[in-house]
Amino acid sequence: MKLKSLFVLLAAFSIQTIFAQEGLISGTVMDGEFNDVLPFANITIKGTTKGTTSDFDGKYVLELEPGTYTVVFSFLGYETKEISEVVIAQGAEEIIDVTLNTLPNALDEVVVTTTVSKNTEASVLNLQKNSVALLDGLSIQSIKKSGAGDIASAIKAVPGVSVQGGKFVYVRGLGDRYTKSILNGVDVPGLDPDRNTLQLDIFPTNILDNIIVVKSATADQPADFTGGVVDIVTKDFPTRAEYSVSAGLGYNSSMHFNDNYLTYDGSVSDPLGYDGGKRDLPISQNFETLLPQQNGQVARITTQLFDSNLKALQEQNGMDFSFGFTAGNQYNVNEDGTKKIGYLASLSYRNNTEFYEGIVNGQVFRKQDQDSSVFELIDDRTQSGDLGVNNVLISGLAGVSFKGKSSKYKLNVLHIQNGESSAGYIRQDNFSVNSNTIFKDVLTYTQRSITNALLNGEHSNEDGSWKVSWKLSPTFSKIYDKDLRTTPFRFNTETGNFSISPSESGDPSRIWRDLEEINIAGKLDLTRRHQLFGREAKLKFGGAYTMKQRDFVVDQFSLPVQSRQGNFSLGFGGDADQVLAPENIYDPSTGEGTFVRRDSNVSDSFDSEMSVAAGYVGDEFKLSERLNAILGVRFEKFDLYYSGINQDGEVFDNVNLLDKADFFPSANLIYDLNEEASRKFRASFSSTTARPSFKEASNAQIFDPVSSTFFIGNINIQPTYINNFDLRFEAYGERTNFFAASAFAKTFDDPIELSFIREARGQFIPLNLGDAVVFGGELEFRRSMDFIPGWQDFSFNANVSVIESRQSFSEDEEEARRDNLREGEEFKDYRTLQGQSPFLLNVGFNYDNNDNGWQGGLVYNVQGKTLEIVGNGDIPDVFTLPFHNLKFNLSKEFGKEKNSKLSLRFENILNDKIESVYQSFGATDKLFSSRYPGQAISLGYSYQF
């Protein structure tokens, strides 16, 4: 028995050794007639008997001895393509993606001869070329070339795309409300309840296959997008064993190894992205606190249960660091290799530290409402200080796949864990209602997690004329704000004393917020190839259903100080940790000290559910040999139910706030300007929508302790409806040379915008404000520098978007703006759309040499001044100023198989600031917020084996 086992092990090792001597060619065969794979195509090696066929998914794998070959791709009724100079190295894999076009009726055979492309970006360009919709994309190879460690850093290279706050993607300058992020084609809730899109910085690049940004709608796409749909596609299982490890360090001279860094004593599990219980609410959610006059001893005991650490502490912080691991392989289940099983696993860890000295956030300035001849803005509230932030992100992906001759099944499970702690010491000066100075310590911790499972199947009949694809994806999302602590002291500028003043500074506060969301998404797509007008056509129809349910619970407490004579808090000396020091907790015998009081409002918590049931039908067909048409219509039934209580005590018990049933038509026309289809003209029309989020369609009042601002929900908010028009010219050159010019226009009915509340300080509310129109153009240019002798490894790319937006006013907004015109100021009957950038510019200069392993790139991007918050009355509009971001990355591959890589990246070379300002006619700009991101240097290493 032992000898038999030893023989099996030796045989397996020998077979593995033999295979290790061979190389692979692999890839996908695409159908040039449609944006689809071409199953059962023939792949042969010219001059040999070696060959294989593509599976129903269009994919193929062929093992070859080391050497140089000509690979032939063919299919009945299609052109034959020969790719020469394919070099197979020992143990290496050469990826060749090919598109075959149909033959004109008059021709019996066409043979196209070319050489293998060394630049795999061509595969994404090829997808773009054959797409029925207007789209742009990034391959994982181009992401790695940029040196980006996450999607948010990489996606800026896509035309018309910008990223706000390092996390949230804007397409064509439109805010994240009008951009939809999906994961592997299905809805996934984000980690931030304030946003309608996913945080893109939570996805490390080691789990990605590609990113596709769709800018024009087709019937099979969800209707709730306007700027674009960002589809994040995770890796499929590899064609052979793949293992890799990576590690990185990051240093920012203005943030790291700083002795003034602010933090506080958290949980021992903070480095793992979650709180181990130290910040848990110490009493039950239904426990009612007693005041000292009700029961002094109970009030004292209850107060002693709360963590006494309220002060931001100074200590030296360290550098950013990260590491990751991926593994994957596939195996033949049967002898002929028609059945395969594969797996993929990935784990990544990232720990980042930021420190902002002199950060400005949430300042308020007003116009002089008594005298319109005064142009300069009046100080209402200024606010600045220091802020330290630690962010831990852990992501894990595990998946298995099974592929047969005509079916494929895949199960992926993704978990993302994020913990973010911050500590700030902030000075706030008030000038209007209470003229005072306040110093406050602010300690926060937010724990976020997403667990997503995706089960999907793809099936095809024998001739590939029918295809069925289905997906089922449940997602569980949790966001816990755990013990947000704000301790304000009023500072007497004359005496130098600090005191807690409820009427001026407010009492110290503690907040716990729990958000839990369940998202279940399913979709079914069926495709049928058929004949229409005597030409090939493709009918696609199906349905989808998404259900989201969210529970949002707030527990808020204050820490008043009871005094007998004078102000007991004067003895604290402005030290936040003295508020709950044992000797300062309320003592029934003296009748003085700090006690805890529940302050939760009934409107803070809510329970909501929304559902979208959809069905669609669309047909792709040819009106002539060069004119392709894609017509379709989508139906969506949208419902939003809300349970909660407003400030007046009115109860909402599962009330249907929104009940909408809408049809969304779409039409795409594609005209090939030459026989090679290398020049195209596209035209598109579609109707889409933008819906309010759970938080917006609620009575919730959510406080931000750092900026001292309130978000106020609006249960009367309505969806926005948009008509989209697109024109585009595309020219595809050799390899990845490309040029495109686009024009687009969009009309908005009832756009949702975040607005200041008139006569309120630091309060915002979402409103439907008038109608709007957006129009603009895009230019994109990619060019190899091989026309210059010796510059064949250099390339240049640039894209620019110029956008004009006009938002008409509601009656209330028009009245408020007219009432606050300055002398000589002309009233315009429109303004820009909130979140709309007037221009976007991306420029890149790259070097890539596969022979010596060097890669490098210099990338610049900027977006124009953008309306961030809509003013109201005497509060002017707030605009985000352009941030000029210049980055440089350099990398070198080492080793015989080039399986080691060292990379170096420089961020914010121009040393710019991120600022938002109030702007008013004839007045000097005033800061709303400002932070200095510093200049970062990062070093990374990866090894594949």
Side-chain angles (χ1 to χ4, degrees):
M1 186 70 182
K2 290 182 179 179
L3 288 174
K4 184 177 179 181
S5 300
L6 179 62
F7 174 77
V8 171
L9 287 173
L10 288 172
F13 177 78
S14 301
I15 292 171
Q16 201 168 24
T17 303
I18 292 170
F19 283 161
Q21 305 303 313
E22 295 186 335
L24 291 178
I25 60 168
S26 65
T28 305
V29 184
M30 297 292 295
D31 185 347
E33 185 80 0
F34 302 107
N35 181 38
D36 203 355
V37 297
L38 187 60
F40 317 125
N42 300 307
I43 300 97
T44 58
I45 303 302
K46 194 171 185 177
T48 74
T49 58
K50 285 201 169 232
T52 187
T53 58
S54 61
D55 60 21
F56 84 100
D57 218 14
K59 297 186 180 298
Y60 71 93
V61 178
L62 188 60
E63 295 177 347
L64 294 170
E65 296 289 335
T68 303
Y69 300 94
T70 297
V71 186
V72 182
F73 298 83
S74 63
F75 189 72
L76 184 64
Y78 285 68
E79 66 186 8
T80 297
K81 184 167 285 189
E82 294 185 359
I83 298 182
S84 60
E85 301 176 24
V86 178
V87 179
I88 303 299
Q90 180 177 316
E93 180 179 9
E94 185 74 33
I95 299 174
I96 306 175
D97 295 328
V98 169
T99 297
L100 300 183
N101 296 308
T102 56
L103 291 171
N105 294 332
L107 298 178
D108 293 327
E109 184 179 18
V110 171
V111 179
V112 178
T113 304
T114 185
T115 57
V116 65
S117 171
K118 295 294 184 182
N119 191 332
T120 50
E121 291 179 45
S123 61
V124 171
L125 267 181
N126 196 50
L127 177 66
Q128 181 175 324
K129 177 181 178 181
N130 295 298
S131 171
V132 298
L134 196 158
L135 63 80
D136 293 291
L138 284 176
S139 66
I140 186 59
Q141 289 79 14
S142 61
I143 293 172
K144 289 179 178 178
K145 195 180 298 182
S146 72
D150 56 60
I151 299 178
S153 301
I155 201 170
K156 297 175 186 177
V158 175
V161 171
S162 61
V163 175
Q164 297 297 308
K167 303 176 182 181
F168 302 102
V169 63
Y170 284 28
V171 179
R172 287 178 165 172
L174 290 165
D176 65 284
R177 177 185 311 284
Y178 302 107
T179 301
K180 189 173 185 66
S181 301
I182 56 178
L183 181 64
N184 295 312
V186 293
D187 278 346
V188 175
L191 287 176
D192 190 335
D194 296 344
R195 304 281 183 159
N196 292 320
T197 58
L198 286 164
Q199 292 180 217
L200 295 189
D201 64 333
I202 66 176
F203 294 98
T205 56
N206 64 344
I207 70 171
L208 297 180
D209 187 31
N210 59 57
I211 310 168
I212 301 298
V213 181
V214 181
K215 296 180 179 177
S216 67
T218 51
D220 58 324
Q221 295 281 355
D224 53 338
F225 84 94
T226 300
V229 173
V230 179
D231 191 2
I232 303 161
V233 183
T234 56
K235 285 182 176 179
D236 205 343
F237 63 91
T239 55
R240 61 188 303 167
E242 287 184 5
Y243 306 94
S244 68
V245 292
S246 62
L249 292 172
Y251 172 72
N252 189 314
S253 59
S254 67
M255 294 189 180
H256 298 139
F257 300 117
N258 193 316
D259 292 335
N260 296 323
Y261 174 76
L262 295 180
T263 184
Y264 73 99
D265 185 24
S267 171
V268 293
S269 60
D270 283 3
L272 298 178
Y274 73 96
D275 174 69
K278 192 173 187 299
R279 302 179 182 90
D280 285 353
L281 180 63
I283 59 178
S284 64
Q285 289 185 328
N286 57 5
F287 180 85
E288 288 298 329
T289 59
L290 296 179
L291 300 176
Q293 55 266 38
Q294 293 174 302
N295 190 322
Q297 190 60 33
V298 171
R300 175 179 173 81
I301 294 172
T302 304
T303 305
Q304 290 173 332
L305 296 174
F306 285 73
D307 192 331
S308 62
N309 179 202
L310 299 176
K311 182 178 181 178
L313 306 175
Q314 289 184 332
E315 68 175 39
Q316 188 184 83
N317 63 328
M319 299 170 61
D320 298 340
F321 62 95
S322 63
F323 59 84
F325 171 77
T326 61
N329 201 355
Q330 72 163 254
Y331 307 91
N332 291 330
V333 177
N334 57 355
E335 293 184 0
D336 62 3
T338 56
K339 295 182 179 179
K340 302 175 186 290
I341 191 169
Y343 77 90
L344 175 70
S346 172
L347 177 68
S348 68
Y349 178 89
R350 190 175 73 205
N351 192 316
N352 291 344
T353 301
E354 298 174 325
F355 181 53
Y356 300 102
E357 292 185 286
I359 187 172
V360 176
N361 195 9
Q363 299 197 131
V364 180
F365 296 89
R366 295 177 179 270
K367 300 176 184 179
Q368 169 57 261
D369 58 358
Q370 303 298 319
D371 187 353
S372 62
S373 66
V374 177
F375 295 97
E376 292 301 327
L377 299 177
I378 301 171
D379 294 354
D380 187 325
R381 183 180 74 191
T382 59
Q383 190 165 253
S384 63
D386 298 338
L387 180 68
V389 181
N390 177 243
N391 195 300
V392 175
L393 181 70
I394 303 173
S395 66
L397 173 69
V400 293
S401 299
F402 174 79
K403 182 186 288 187
K405 188 175 181 180
S406 59
S407 293
K408 176 181 177 183
Y409 302 89
K410 183 163 67 173
L411 173 64
N412 277 354
V413 177
L414 172 69
H415 180 78
I416 297 173
Q417 186 73 39
N418 174 231
E420 182 176 323
S421 63
S422 73
Y425 188 64
I426 297 168
R427 172 174 176 155
Q428 179 179 310
D429 290 286
N430 297 298
F431 303 94
S432 184
V433 176
N434 292 317
S435 181
N436 56 31
T437 298
I438 296 168
F439 287 88
K440 58 182 178 179
D441 293 80
V442 180
L443 311 180
T444 73
Y445 185 82
T446 301
Q447 176 182 310
R448 308 177 180 97
S449 66
I450 287 180
T451 303
N452 169 258
L454 172 65
L455 177 64
N456 75 287
E458 299 176 18
H459 314 276
S460 173
N461 63 347
E462 290 187 4
D463 62 1
S465 60
W466 273 99
K467 285 189 178 181
V468 178
S469 173
W470 54 269
K471 296 180 180 180
L472 180 63
S473 180
T475 304
F476 303 93
S477 177
K478 298 178 181 179
I479 304 172
Y480 299 141
D481 289 327
K482 307 193 73 172
D483 201 0
L484 309 184
R485 314 169 200 183
T486 305
T487 309
F489 285 92
R490 183 185 183 277
F491 177 68
N492 190 317
T493 56
E494 295 180 358
T495 64
N497 292 330
F498 291 87
S499 63
I500 293 175
S501 174
S503 62
E504 296 196 43
S505 64
D507 289 320
S509 66
R510 311 285 284 268
I511 301 174
W512 282 260
R513 291 194 290 242
D514 293 349
L515 185 154
E516 296 184 354
E517 183 172 318
I518 299 173
N519 185 106
I520 300 176
K523 62 181 301 190
L524 174 67
D525 300 306
L526 298 96
T527 304
R528 166 65 172 164
R529 290 179 179 266
H530 66 106
Q531 293 280 326
L532 185 64
F533 308 131
R535 297 183 174 90
E536 288 291 325
K538 186 168 67 173
L539 176 68
K540 194 169 185 178
F541 59 98
Y545 183 80
T546 300
M547 185 280 291
K548 300 180 182 181
Q549 190 272 330
R550 174 180 292 182
D551 287 323
F552 184 69
V553 178
V554 178
D555 288 282
Q556 183 168 337
F557 302 86
S558 63
L559 299 171
V561 179
Q562 185 154 306
S563 306
R564 284 291 182 98
Q565 294 179 350
N567 191 328
F568 186 78
S569 67
L570 286 171
F572 300 164
D575 183 352
D577 277 348
Q578 290 298 311
V579 174
L580 288 179
E583 65 273 17
N584 294 326
I585 292 178
Y586 178 79
D587 186 345
S589 64
T590 64
E592 292 187 306
T594 307
F595 63 94
V596 65
R597 180 184 68 209
R598 182 182 286 272
D599 282 350
S600 303
N601 294 317
V602 291
S603 63
D604 289 341
S605 303
F606 66 86
D607 178 1
S608 290
E609 180 179 318
M610 69 170 61
S611 64
V612 181
Y616 76 90
V617 61
D619 203 14
E620 178 184 352
F621 55 92
K622 283 187 172 293
L623 295 171
S624 70
E625 285 300 322
R626 294 191 182 182
L627 181 59
N628 208 22
I630 306 93
L631 304 179
V633 64
R634 185 179 185 88
F635 171 80
E636 289 193 355
K637 177 68 166 63
F638 174 75
D639 288 283
L640 191 151
Y641 294 89
Y642 174 77
S643 297
I645 305 174
N646 66 14
Q647 289 286 345
D648 298 328
E650 183 182 0
V651 177
F652 295 78
D653 185 10
N654 205 32
V655 175
N656 191 351
L657 296 182
L658 290 172
D659 178 1
K660 303 291 182 181
D662 301 293
F663 288 93
F664 300 96
S666 61
N668 290 267
L669 298 175
I670 307 168
Y671 183 72
D672 295 332
L673 298 173
N674 58 5
E675 291 184 3
E676 297 80 15
S678 60
R679 286 184 172 85
K680 294 177 179 288
F681 182 78
R682 298 176 182 268
S684 172
F685 164 78
S686 62
S687 293
T688 56
T689 186
R691 299 178 176 122
S693 66
F694 278 124
K695 185 182 74 170
E696 290 170 334
S698 75
N699 285 311
Q701 298 187 13
I702 301 173
F703 177 65
D704 181 351
V706 176
S707 63
S708 297
T709 57
F710 273 94
F711 174 91
I712 311 297
N714 178 6
I715 62 170
N716 296 313
I717 199 77
Q718 294 294 310
T720 304
Y721 291 95
I722 307 101
N723 289 320
N724 309 276
F725 307 86
D726 288 272
L727 297 173
R728 177 158 163 161
F729 168 76
E730 299 172 346
Y732 298 83
E734 292 288 329
R735 300 183 183 272
T736 58
N737 293 342
F738 177 69
F739 172 79
S742 307
F744 60 89
K746 301 175 184 292
T747 62
F748 297 74
D749 292 334
D750 293 326
I752 302 170
E753 299 193 305
L754 190 64
S755 175
F756 284 107
I757 297 179
R758 198 174 186 181
E759 304 305 331
R761 282 160 175 78
Q763 297 187 15
F764 313 105
I765 187 169
L767 297 170
N768 295 107
L769 296 177
D771 296 330
V773 60
V774 172
F775 52 92
E778 294 173 338
L779 288 176
E780 181 182 6
F781 179 74
R782 303 185 200 181
R783 184 69 170 91
S784 169
M785 308 295 287
D786 55 6
F787 59 91
I788 302 175
W791 285 59
Q792 64 274 7
D793 297 322
F794 291 88
S795 63
F796 174 80
N797 65 276
N799 59 75
V800 60
S801 303
V802 179
I803 307 160
E804 174 75 14
S805 63
R806 296 187 175 184
Q807 163 82 57
S808 61
F809 299 124
S810 64
E811 290 184 9
D812 289 343
E813 184 179 1
E814 180 175 347
E815 179 183 354
R817 288 181 179 270
R818 287 188 182 276
D819 289 345
N820 286 274
L821 288 175
R822 303 295 90 180
E823 285 188 1
E825 181 182 5
E826 294 184 5
F827 179 78
K828 290 185 177 180
D829 57 2
Y830 65 88
R831 57 167 169 79
T832 58
L833 187 68
Q834 184 187 38
Q836 176 65 65
S837 302
F839 70 86
L840 299 164
L841 176 64
N842 296 297
V843 179
F845 188 68
N846 303 295
Y847 175 82
D848 186 5
N849 187 306
N850 288 310
D851 296 328
N852 62 27
W854 282 99
Q855 291 181 339
L858 186 67
V859 179
Y860 169 79
N861 54 65
V862 66
Q863 74 176 66
K865 183 182 73 175
T866 304
L867 179 60
E868 180 178 342
I869 303 175
V870 179
N872 197 339
D874 60 344
I875 306 177
D877 296 327
V878 174
F879 291 89
T880 304
L881 298 181
F883 174 66
H884 300 271
N885 190 12
L886 181 64
K887 300 182 295 183
F888 175 73
N889 61 274
L890 185 67
S891 64
K892 176 72 170 74
E893 294 177 338
F894 299 91
K896 185 178 179 181
E897 305 297 335
K898 295 182 180 176
N899 51 2
S900 293
K901 186 175 182 179
L902 192 65
S903 59
L904 183 66
R905 188 166 76 248
F906 300 86
E907 301 267 358
N908 193 23
I909 295 173
L910 299 179
N911 208 23
D912 206 2
K913 286 186 176 182
I914 300 172
E915 293 185 332
S916 297
V917 298
Y918 290 92
Q919 291 192 341
S920 179
F921 179 80
T924 305
D925 290 353
K926 295 287 189 177
L927 281 177
F928 172 76
S929 64
S930 175
R931 60 186 174 93
Y932 174 56
Q935 295 177 296
I937 303 173
S938 58
L939 180 68
Y941 174 77
S942 63
Y943 178 72
Q944 292 183 333
F945 56 97

